[in-house]
């Protein structure tokens, strides 16, 4: 029972490169989320998805792209990485709409040089 | 925009003592949740309290919610060294089902 996994766990990339962070959950949860965690800001929502092929912006979506062709996968792509996107990225899932907890992956630490 | 703000930012106590963390928020909510994050790990859900509830217990955890003051508190009784972690409150604002807004967290250090 793997739950929710993220890959890679650590990534170093150069400014301007495209990078994709993967998220996979085994519960068939409808909702999936991407957050970034930075010192002094807590967690901020980047994008979320209510179901396959349904995605919407969160608080800080600029510079990121998501897709959800399958319920279990929710990749996050940085189309042209910038230093300000150096952060720890967390994926999460939730079973139902509203009033339910979210389950978090272990995170991906991304450094953009 | 930051919805939840935790207080204090850092808290250091000895094992066996109680730890109290507070969270304030700005807009009306469906629920408020508390999460724990151990260093280098993902967040783990602790407890959820709905807007029509005033108090909730789970093991050594006690959460209160005062919607008139837009505030919540998390009490951890008889703290253990294993409780050392960062604790975050998160609010699901009214009209934003399933989307959570997190505070900046309280770092709790429990020493032997």
């Amino acid at each position: 029972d793997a739950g929710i996994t993220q890959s890679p766990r650590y990534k170093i990339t150069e400014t301007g490169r495209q990078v994709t962070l993967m998220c996979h959950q085994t519960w068939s949860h409808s909702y999936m989320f991407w957050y970034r965690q930075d010192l002094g800001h807590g967690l901020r929502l980047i994008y979320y998805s209510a179901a396959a092929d349904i995605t919407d912006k969160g608080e800080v979506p600029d510079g990121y792209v998501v897709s959800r062709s399958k319920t279990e996968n929710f990749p996050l792509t940085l189309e042209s990485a910038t230093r300000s996107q150096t952060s720890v990225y967390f994926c999460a899932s939730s079973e139902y709409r509203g009033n339910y907890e979210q389950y978090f992956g272990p995170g991906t630490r991304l450094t953009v040089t | 925009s930051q919805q939840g703000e935790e207080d204090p930012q850092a808290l250091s106590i000895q094992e066996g003592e109680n730890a109290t963390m507070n969270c304030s928020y700005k807009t009306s909510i469906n629920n408020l949740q508390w999460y724990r994050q151990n260093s280098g790990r993902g967040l783990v859900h602790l407890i959820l309290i709905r807007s029509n509830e005033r108090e909730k217990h789970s093991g050594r955890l006690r959460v209160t919610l005062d919607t008139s003051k837009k505030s919540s508190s998390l009490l951890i009784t008889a703290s253990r060294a294993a409780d050392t972690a960062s604790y975050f409150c998160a609010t699901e604002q009214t009209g934003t089902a399933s989307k959570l807004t997190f505070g900046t967290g309280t770092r709790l250090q429990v020493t032997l």
Side-chain angles (χ1 to χ4, degrees), chain A residues 3-4 23-35 49 68 71-72 74 90-96 100-105, chain B residues 35:
Chain A
I4 183 164
C23 178
H24 175 77
Q25 51 108 351
T26 60
W27 296 306
S28 298
H29 284 175
S30 296
Y31 285 81
M32 296 187 75
F33 309 84
W34 274 107
Y35 296 90
S49 169
R68 193 160 176 214
T71 300
E72 60 266 30
F74 191 37
F90 288 99
C91 178
S93 71
S94 180
E95 189 171 9
Y96 297 116
Y100 283 89
E101 64 266 37
Q102 294 185 12
Y103 296 86
F104 282 77
Chain B
Y35 288 80

Side-chain angles (χ1 to χ4, degrees), chain B residues 12-69:
Chain B
S12 183
I13 60 173
Q14 290 191 319
E15 205 170 45
E17 295 181 334
N18 296 341
T20 299
M21 289 159 260
N22 302 295
C23 171
S24 60
Y25 58 92
K26 297 174 184 174
T27 62
S28 62
I29 61 172
N30 295 327
N31 65 71
L32 186 145
Q33 305 180 30
W34 286 91
Y35 288 80
R36 183 187 75 228
Q37 184 180 33
N38 291 89
S39 181
R41 301 286 190 95
L43 279 73
V44 174
H45 179 263
L46 294 176
I47 197 164
L48 181 155
I49 186 165
R50 301 187 182 203
S51 60
N52 61 353
E53 297 174 315
R54 292 296 167 260
E55 187 170 314
K56 207 161 181 181
H57 297 255
S58 177
R60 294 184 294 113
L61 305 180
R62 173 180 170 254
V63 169
T64 61
L65 178 64
D66 186 334
T67 53
S68 67
K69 294 182 179 178

